[in-house]
């Protein structure tokens, strides 16, 4: 089983570029499943856009995962009704959406489980430890985890805890790709951060102007108005994972 997985897509232009790359990489590698974290694909980079999610699904994306931005606005929440769109599993059950999905592929079922670091989502006290939700998740066939969080430590400890049970633990959220590709002793591959698919030159794909202004003038970058995606060249950050009998045999970067 071959899987293509891409990290946080930021904005409309990045979605357009990714659609082109999925066609090219799909022809080159013939993946059984394509997964995209699209929590920032909306034109303003905050949450999901219906047009952009439609473009990804039309391009053959099988699963769209999310993170702390999965519920940013009504449009994002509505998109969580689509069975191919998932969001982190370890949030309160009353929040919209599903935390995982099992997809039938030509090489057997693949389950994608989406988890979030409680520190990366601002509903403190209500987010369960990711490992608890992992234990309760329906895990059929080959299992892949999108672990959405800032902390290398958390992602690495989690990956070792599920070594041999998940084929891949793929980190998202920081938007800044990490170099090392790990293969753990029992067959789980790990990359602590896949990296964003978005415009380079700014702050996680966003124009630094308002953020810098907030920091310099008020000592806090998080002042209104919110930043918008920067008009820079688009980088594509992904990985190609090979799996045999539920264990990963290889992980490579694709761009
Ligand atoms: Fe993100
Ligand atoms: Fe995020």
């Amino acid at each position: 089983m071959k899987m293509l997985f891409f990290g946080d897509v930021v904005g409309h232009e990045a979605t357009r570029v990714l659609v082109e790359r999925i066609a090219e990489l799909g022809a080159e590698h013939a993946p059984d499943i394509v997964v995209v974290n699209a929590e920032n694909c909306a034109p303003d980079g905050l949450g999901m856009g219906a047009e952009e999610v439609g473009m990804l699904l039309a391009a053959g994306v099988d699963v769209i995962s999310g993170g702390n931005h999965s519920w940013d606005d009504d449009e994002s929440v509505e998109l969580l009704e689509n069975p191919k769109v998932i969001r982190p599993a370890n949030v309160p059950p009353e929040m919209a959406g599903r935390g995982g999905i099992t997809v039938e592929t030509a090489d057997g079922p693949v389950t994608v489980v989406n988890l979030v670091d409680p520190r990366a989502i601002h509903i403190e006290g209500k987010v369960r430890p990711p490992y608890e939700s992992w234990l309760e998740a329906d895990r059929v066939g080959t299992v892949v985890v999108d672990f959405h969080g800032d902390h290398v430590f958390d992602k690495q400890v989690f990956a070792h805890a599920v070594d041999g049970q998940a084929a891949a633990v793929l980190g998202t959220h920081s938007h800044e790709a990490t170099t090392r590709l790990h293969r753990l002793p029992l067959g789980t591959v790990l990359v602590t951060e896949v990296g964003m698919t978005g415009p380079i030159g700014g702050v996680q794909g966003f124009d630094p102007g308002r953020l810098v202004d907030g920091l310099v003038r008020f000592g806090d970058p998080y002042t209104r108005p919110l930043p918008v995606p920067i008009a820079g060249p688009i980088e594509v950050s992904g990985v190609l994972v090979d799996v045999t009998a539920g264990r990963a045999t290889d992980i490579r970067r694709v761009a």
Side-chain angles (χ1 to χ4, degrees), residues 8 37 39-40 66-69 116 120 148-149 172-175:
D8 306 43
N37 185 304
E39 67 153 6
N40 304 110
N68 52 306
H69 287 288
V116 68
H148 198 77
T172 58
H173 179 62
S174 88
H175 293 204

Side-chain angles (χ1 to χ4, degrees), residues 22-229:
I22 286 172
E24 293 163 356
L25 291 165
E28 190 179 342
H29 299 291
D32 298 289
I33 181 170
V34 180
V35 182
V36 175
N37 185 304
E39 67 153 6
N40 304 110
C41 74
D44 66 359
L46 303 170
M48 296 178 286
E51 184 183 353
E52 289 74 23
V53 166
M55 288 162 68
L56 292 169
L57 294 176
V61 172
D62 300 285
V63 179
I64 290 178
S65 58
N68 52 306
H69 287 288
S70 289
W71 305 267
D72 271 1
D73 51 24
D74 291 346
E75 191 169 331
S76 300
V77 170
E78 221 165 277
L79 287 164
L80 293 172
E81 290 173 17
N82 187 311
K84 293 184 174 179
V85 180
I86 62 172
R87 48 67 167 166
N90 53 318
V91 299
E94 62 270 22
M95 291 181 75
R98 287 163 291 274
I101 183 176
T102 300
V103 176
E104 293 299 330
T105 78
D107 203 15
V110 177
T111 297
V112 182
V113 178
N114 198 178
L115 298 169
V116 68
D117 175 357
R119 289 168 289 185
I121 187 165
H122 302 291
I123 45 175
E124 284 90 354
K126 295 183 180 173
V127 179
R128 302 173 64 196
Y131 189 71
E132 277 184 26
S133 291
W134 158 263
L135 290 176
E136 290 177 6
D138 287 328
R139 291 181 264 133
V140 181
T142 295
V143 183
V144 174
V145 179
D146 175 343
F147 194 116
H148 198 77
D150 272 319
H151 299 275
V152 169
F153 182 89
D154 294 352
K155 294 172 182 178
Q156 294 192 347
V157 173
F158 179 87
H160 282 270
V162 302
D163 186 15
Q165 300 174 67
V169 176
L170 306 172
T172 58
H173 179 62
S174 88
H175 293 204
E176 191 78 348
T178 53
T179 305
R180 197 177 296 277
L181 302 171
H182 305 264
R183 188 170 180 281
L184 306 185
L186 300 179
T188 298
V189 290
L190 160 71
V191 56
T192 52
E193 181 62 44
V194 175
M196 74 168 175
T197 293
I200 59 174
V203 175
Q204 295 185 308
F206 291 85
D207 192 308
R210 294 172 180 174
L211 297 164
V212 169
D213 193 47
L215 176 66
V216 172
R217 290 171 60 201
F218 307 109
D220 180 2
Y222 295 107
T223 50
R224 297 293 186 267
L226 291 165
V228 293

